[in-house]
Amino acid sequence: MRCPFCDSTNTKVVDSRQVDSETSIRRRRECLSCKRRFTTYEKYENNPLIVIKKNQEREAYDRNKILNGMVRSCYKRKVPMEDLEKATKEIEIDINHLNLKEVPSSLIGEIIMEKLKEIDKVAYVRFASVYKEFQDVSSFYDEIEKIK
C-alpha cells in the first residue's frame, strides 16, 4: 500500500477491523518511512453469480428470491423471520462453496428444500409442491411419506 503522505510503499498494518457490511475491512496503517498513519478500506471483489433457470434462460442471482420463496412457504406458520434470514445466508454460503459461475436453479431449489425441511415440515411440503410441480394429491402423500 502506498503512503498518501510520502508515496512510500513501505507500510505496515497496525490494526484491522471488520466494517458493518461484513464484506469490508478497515485497516490502520503506518508508513515506515515518514511514520504517519492512515486508514484504508478493503472490500472483496464479488463476481456475479448466474442462475440457469429450467427453460435455460440465465439471470443474475438474487438472494431476495430465495427469501421470498421461503416466506411464502411459511405463510401462516410460526416461523421467525430471523430463522428464514439465517437460512438464506446459509444457502448463499452453500451456493458460493460450489465455486461455480453458473448454478442451475434446480440445485438451488434442492438446497432450499433441505433447509426448509430443518425449519418447518409444512413449509417444506409447500415449497416442494411448487418446486417439484405436483400434479395430484398422491404426489403430496409421497412427499409426506419421505419426511416421516
Side-chain angles (χ1 to χ4, degrees):
M1 182 61 62
R2 200 171 285 278
C3 173
F5 305 107
C6 71
D7 210 31
S8 171
T9 57
N10 196 10
T11 64
K12 71 174 182 177
V13 175
V14 179
D15 180 45
S16 291
R17 294 183 189 171
Q18 191 159 359
V19 182
D20 295 333
S21 70
E22 296 182 11
T23 61
S24 299
I25 297 175
R26 177 187 180 270
R27 296 196 194 275
R28 283 296 286 160
R29 295 178 180 268
E30 181 179 339
C31 176
L32 299 175
S33 299
C34 71
K35 303 293 184 210
R36 292 183 75 180
R37 290 187 175 193
F38 58 98
T39 303
T40 60
Y41 292 89
E42 295 179 18
K43 189 170 184 158
Y44 77 87
E45 190 174 18
N46 189 6
N47 295 326
L49 182 66
I50 303 298
V51 176
I52 305 170
K53 297 167 63 171
K54 287 181 183 178
N55 64 4
Q56 299 305 308
E57 284 183 25
R58 286 164 167 70
E59 67 179 38
Y61 169 80
D62 182 2
R63 80 183 308 270
N64 291 325
K65 285 188 173 187
I66 291 173
L67 182 60
N68 292 338
M70 290 195 302
V71 167
R72 270 187 256 119
S73 297
C74 294
Y75 180 68
K76 291 193 177 184
R77 304 291 301 160
K78 293 182 180 175
V79 177
M81 189 63 180
E82 295 82 35
D83 290 356
L84 297 179
E85 288 169 348
K86 181 182 174 211
T88 301
K89 191 168 193 169
E90 290 171 359
I91 290 165
E92 231 172 10
I93 290 168
D94 291 346
I95 293 168
N96 285 327
H97 282 153
L98 297 172
N99 289 325
L100 299 172
K101 292 182 181 191
E102 295 185 336
V103 179
S105 61
S106 59
L107 183 56
I108 295 172
E110 295 293 332
I111 296 170
I112 294 169
M113 285 195 309
E114 287 303 312
K115 292 291 178 190
L116 279 174
K117 197 184 294 185
E118 296 168 13
I119 295 171
D120 186 275
K121 302 272 194 260
V122 173
Y124 163 78
V125 173
R126 287 177 178 172
F127 187 88
S129 71
V130 173
Y131 173 73
K132 294 183 177 183
E133 299 173 349
F134 290 175
Q135 298 298 319
D136 52 28
V137 176
S138 65
S139 301
F140 279 96
Y141 287 128
D142 294 342
E143 198 63 38
I144 291 169
E145 285 300 316
K146 287 180 190 175
I147 61 172
K148 275 188 174 180

